[in-house]
Amino acid sequence: GAVVSQHPSRVICKSGTSVKIECRSLDFQATTMFWYRQFPKQSLMLMATSNEGSKATYEQGVEKDKFLINHASLTLSTLTVTSAHPEDSSFYICSARGPGQGGYEQYFGPGTRLTVT
Amino acid sequence: AQSVTQPDIHITVSEGASLELRCNYSYGATPYLFWYVQSPGQGLQLLLKYFSGDTLVQGIKGFEAEFKRSQSSFNLRKPSVHWSDAAEYFCAVGEGAPGGGNKLTFGTGTQLKVEL
């Protein structure tokens, strides 16, 4: 149980366009979802935390107008990278936590590799 | 601010040999410590965690880790490595007691290669 999927697994887009990444909890309801970014040879950096039905909370230094997060249902959160630039190329990972789960309990998706050309 | 250091970027061990992956943390209060494994195409999987109590914690897949407060370390060990253990391993420290709004700070990871 507790499976989280991401779609797409890889995406290439042109500079200036927007791209949407989906994160789904397949067998549980995710009241909280997290979005991370991972650069090569670097650690996962938390970008934002989203709770179903409310606005996401962004970490310091993360542009909320550039990285739009929507957690519209208990099984789906989306991250939209708007007006993407090559420096946005990275590995994006989501994780999800269900109701009744402990504060640190979260299940991770397999990640999405974004390349902006 | 809390931080996590994993000094070894890559480690290669022979199958059947013992393994130790190092992790040092910096955190002013009681640390909540985790080890995750990431295999290609799969999400991070929790191997084990330390919140309190016995400083030697057992995890899944035969892994264990020992919390040493005096050394600010939480090293991961396995007595006999299997080829399927080849993956990337992340150490993480949690911010605050378990509850709402907990966040994780990750290390940069250690890539484990297993030679047959």
Side-chain angles (χ1 to χ4, degrees):
Chain A
V3 178
V4 176
S5 70
Q6 283 185 241
H7 179 78
S9 57
R10 292 177 179 270
V11 58
I12 300 173
C13 70
K14 292 187 182 299
S15 185
T17 63
S18 296
V19 62
K20 180 184 286 187
I21 301 169
E22 293 185 347
C23 175
R24 293 183 184 272
S25 56
L26 298 185
D27 49 5
F28 68 103
Q29 293 184 325
T31 50
T32 303
M33 286 185 167
F34 304 87
W35 285 95
Y36 295 85
R37 184 173 180 177
Q38 184 181 20
F39 290 102
K41 309 303 181 187
Q42 296 188 29
S43 63
L44 282 76
M45 301 296 295
L46 180 64
M47 299 174 65
T49 303
S50 73
N51 293 296
E52 187 267 337
S54 60
K55 289 185 177 181
T57 301
Y58 290 80
E59 296 299 301
Q60 191 172 9
V62 177
E63 299 176 62
K64 60 181 66 177
D65 294 331
K66 181 167 190 60
F67 299 99
L68 302 179
I69 292 171
N70 184 15
H71 190 167
S73 79
L74 284 172
T75 60
L76 174 65
S77 176
T78 60
L79 168 68
T80 301
V81 183
T82 63
S83 187
H85 288 95
E87 57 265 30
D88 299 323
S89 298
S90 191
F91 194 56
Y92 292 88
I93 298 173
C94 74
S95 69
R97 187 169 71 215
Q101 294 176 346
Y104 285 111
E105 196 162 356
Q106 52 185 290
Y107 300 94
F108 289 82
T112 296
R113 173 79 58 194
L114 170 63
T115 303
V116 184
T117 61
Chain B
Q2 62 212 43
S3 65
V4 178
T5 301
Q6 292 181 247
D8 304 305
I9 298 175
H10 298 280
I11 282 186
T12 300
V13 299
S14 299
E15 189 176 36
S18 63
L19 170 70
E20 182 170 35
L21 302 181
R22 296 183 290 166
C23 172
N24 292 96
Y25 67 90
S26 172
Y27 186 55
T30 301
Y32 296 85
L33 298 162
F34 306 79
W35 274 101
Y36 287 87
V37 60
Q38 184 182 37
S39 299
Q42 299 184 29
L44 274 76
Q45 181 182 21
L46 180 66
L47 287 175
L48 47 78
K49 62 187 177 186
Y50 172 78
F51 283 5
S52 64
D54 193 344
T55 55
L56 183 64
V57 293
Q58 303 297 321
I60 62 171
K61 303 185 180 186
F63 285 93
E64 66 178 27
E66 186 171 11
F67 169 58
K68 293 185 177 180
R69 184 184 296 276
S70 62
Q71 299 178 19
S72 297
S73 69
F74 188 56
N75 294 349
L76 181 72
R77 301 194 294 246
K78 186 170 185 177
S80 177
V81 169
H82 189 263
W83 65 267
S84 60
D85 293 325
E88 185 144 26
Y89 292 80
F90 290 91
C91 181
V93 61
E95 179 180 303
N102 293 121
K103 301 176 185 177
L104 291 171
T105 299
F106 287 86
T108 51
T110 297
Q111 185 72 46
L112 173 65
K113 180 179 177 182
V114 180
E115 290 182 332
L116 299 177

